[in-house]
Amino acid sequence: MSESSSSNQSSQLTRRHFIKNTSLGAAALGLSPVVLPSAHAAKAAGNRKLKVGVVGLGGRGSGAVRDILTADPNTILWAVGDIFEKPLQKVAKFEKKYSGRVDTDGGKRHFVGFDAYQKVIDSGVDIVLLTSTPAFRPLHFEASVAAGKHTFLEKPIALDIPGMKSVIESAKKAQSNGQSVLTGLVWRYSPHLMEMHKRVQDGVIGEVLTTSSSYCGGGRPNKMPDIKYKPAKMPDMEWAQRYWQNYLELGGDGALEFMIHGMDRMSWAMGDGMPVKCYANGANIHPVKGANAWDSFNLRYVYADGRTADFFGRQIPGSYAPSGDTIVGTKGQAFVSGSAASIIVDGKTIWHKKGGLGYVNEHRIFTAHIRKGEVYNDVVDKHKLATSHIIGIMGRTAAYTGKLITDQQIMSSKDVLLADIKNLNFDTPFKPRESAVPGKTPFV
């Protein structure tokens, strides 16, 4: 089917029918359908204090602690863990800001090391915030679910397809056991975008034909110094953990670590269906010596009904850095530009709204479900955000290889970016892969 035929397909395959038949599910993953809570129904937390533990107290971990304490005034910070000791100093700031809502037993529930995640999980918490280096997310999530905890997963929730399948299986187990799961794709919880997409889903702009999304920044986050400045006695793994955003193996590249937000908005607009193929371009325009993560991606996705969606992302200092969406329907368009969203029909703006990101709102929704005894799960249920991550991996793979990648191909990938992650420590050897070269890098 040609890409130009998308507009002719809208009368044959409606958007609602498309969503129903192509959303990530049993067929895409070869997994059994999600089981709703039955024998293990969720127990309502009511008004009791909810004990929160955080694994990984970097910038996003600190933010997640603030977000959940702000969202639910009857939560307390109970335990903290990180592979490094210094981030735990932030607990003192939480104690000042949230008086009476930090109880780590005088620091006895401060845990340091690669096994800190398990100690936080076992400390008596109700909710675990998983915000450490993303490479560890599937392992930590599996442990949290096994211990019966409600879990927040910062994005990205997995970096390769084997890891993604592990996360989906864990999410299904959590749902069956009555445990709630929330991811960190905060645009989904931004009130103005929630309202706009509700209008789009209700057909205000007709059937969605195509979407173009962008997510750009003015530079790489936590840009690594030249590798020559690594202290001679510092293990390679320790250096890599300190600058994980620069490494494919630890952060998933910019496509997963940063640009996933824009790909998620694109997927949202397209109905969260799984595209059937992707071809792409990308580059390391301003490479960081010793690192392998790219700074630019251009992705084209094709859906089963012939519709297409495009994504553009880059992290280059001094460059124009747009973040937004253009959603084209049979009756009109919807636009997102930064904090503003608009809907235009017949050349007239019929709706416009501004708003902030949903950092606090997502935790408000999350804890409200826990208190009511209702299971919330946006990995495989509410938004199926596993799909957005697989789309990201698919796009990254298409760009790396320079090949056309199908949905069946990407789901067959056996590529594990970092092996034996359960047994990692600072003495584990670490040698990053060479930066990908399109047309030469093979599909695994």
Side-chain angles (χ1 to χ4, degrees):
M1 182 180 296
S2 67
E3 295 168 30
S4 61
S5 64
S6 62
S7 61
N8 296 327
Q9 295 298 318
S10 60
S11 61
Q12 301 175 34
L13 185 60
T14 66
R15 182 171 181 272
R16 184 172 294 107
H17 182 72
F18 175 76
I19 296 169
K20 179 180 179 182
N21 286 282
T22 61
S23 291
L24 180 64
L29 290 173
L31 302 175
S32 58
V34 173
V35 180
L36 295 175
S38 54
H40 301 287
K43 183 178 180 181
N47 293 323
R48 69 179 177 84
K49 280 186 171 60
L50 292 173
K51 301 172 183 176
V52 177
V54 59
V55 179
L57 209 53
R60 192 72 282 279
S62 300
V65 170
R66 291 192 298 269
D67 297 335
I68 197 168
L69 294 182
T70 301
D72 188 317
N74 210 15
T75 51
I76 60 172
L77 181 60
W78 183 258
V80 296
D82 200 288
I83 61 172
F84 296 109
E85 185 172 359
K86 186 175 180 180
L88 304 191
Q89 296 175 4
K90 297 176 183 179
V91 174
K93 295 181 179 179
F94 294 138
E95 290 174 334
K96 291 181 180 179
K97 184 175 177 64
Y98 301 97
S99 179
R101 297 182 59 197
V102 175
D103 179 8
T104 59
D105 194 15
K108 292 181 180 179
R109 288 189 289 271
H110 291 190
F111 306 111
V112 178
F114 283 80
D115 62 348
Y117 76 97
Q118 192 65 60
K119 293 177 180 178
V120 170
I121 290 169
D122 294 339
S123 69
V125 295
D126 302 296
I127 298 171
V128 180
L129 310 178
L130 297 180
T131 55
S132 65
T133 305
F136 296 101
R137 204 80 74 236
L139 171 67
H140 292 178
F141 185 37
E142 181 181 15
S144 183
V145 171
K149 309 303 179 183
H150 304 291
T151 311
F152 169 74
L153 302 169
E154 183 51 86
K155 59 78 195 166
I157 61 179
L159 307 182
D160 51 39
I161 293 301
M164 198 66 245
K165 288 181 177 179
S166 170
V167 166
I168 290 170
E169 284 288 359
S170 294
K172 289 168 56 184
K173 289 177 183 178
Q175 180 125 14
S176 180
N177 293 339
Q179 301 159 234
S180 284
V181 179
L182 174 73
T183 69
L185 289 173
V186 294
W187 293 82
R188 291 280 180 151
Y189 299 95
S190 302
H192 65 304
L193 295 188
M194 294 170 74
E195 183 177 344
M196 185 198 77
H197 278 277
K198 175 64 165 58
R199 292 169 183 265
V200 170
Q201 290 162 6
D202 287 343
V204 171
I205 66 170
E207 299 291 338
V208 172
L209 300 176
T210 186
T211 299
S212 177
S213 296
S214 64
Y215 201 78
C216 302
R220 299 173 188 256
N222 193 30
K223 183 179 177 181
M224 188 177 83
D226 190 310
I227 193 71
K228 69 182 181 182
Y229 295 112
K230 183 178 79 69
K233 293 184 178 180
M234 180 181 287
D236 292 340
M237 180 60 74
E238 180 179 348
W239 174 270
Q241 291 291 337
R242 291 184 182 279
Y243 296 102
W244 60 263
Q245 293 95 334
N246 298 265
Y247 292 105
L248 164 68
E249 295 84 352
L250 297 175
D253 206 321
L256 270 291
E257 192 278 324
F258 175 77
M259 301 173 198
I260 183 68
H261 286 300
M263 294 181 210
D264 178 54
R265 293 199 320 262
M266 181 200 75
S267 180
W268 193 5
M270 296 299 287
D272 288 318
M274 183 68 189
V276 296
K277 54 188 175 181
C278 175
Y279 55 96
N281 196 19
N284 213 354
I285 295 175
H286 291 291
V288 175
K289 191 170 183 179
N292 58 8
W294 284 9
D295 55 18
S296 302
F297 286 89
N298 297 290
L299 315 174
R300 163 63 64 91
Y301 295 94
V302 183
Y303 290 78
D305 59 354
R307 298 182 306 156
T308 61
D310 296 292
F311 173 80
F312 171 79
R314 66 183 176 195
Q315 298 167 290
I316 300 177
S319 64
Y320 176 54
S323 290
D325 314 292
T326 298
I327 307 166
V328 179
T330 55
K331 298 178 181 178
Q333 303 86 39
F335 298 95
V336 176
S337 180
S339 63
S342 303
I343 294 177
I344 297 176
V345 176
D346 294 330
K348 297 181 180 179
T349 301
I350 64 169
W351 179 87
H352 176 79
K353 201 166 190 177
K354 290 185 176 182
L357 292 175
Y359 286 112
V360 173
N361 192 44
E362 64 175 352
H363 285 281
R364 188 175 291 121
I365 293 169
F366 182 48
T367 54
H369 278 76
I370 294 170
R371 292 200 177 282
K372 293 177 182 177
E374 298 174 353
V375 177
Y376 191 85
N377 189 318
D378 67 3
V379 173
V380 294
D381 184 17
K382 174 64 177 175
H383 296 301
K384 298 181 176 62
L385 295 183
T387 305
S388 297
H389 283 78
I390 291 175
I391 286 174
I393 297 170
M394 186 183 197
R396 182 189 69 199
T397 303
Y400 276 6
T401 63
K403 299 182 183 301
L404 179 71
I405 301 296
T406 68
D407 54 345
Q408 292 182 345
Q409 279 180 302
I410 199 61
M411 294 312 302
S412 72
S413 174
K414 301 294 191 293
D415 191 20
V416 175
L417 297 180
L418 197 61
D420 198 23
I421 197 164
K422 189 173 184 178
N423 295 311
L424 290 189
N425 57 60
F426 286 135
D427 293 325
T428 302
F430 178 75
K431 183 179 180 180
R433 302 179 181 189
E434 294 295 324
S435 188
V437 179
K440 293 184 179 181
T441 296
F443 171 76
V444 181

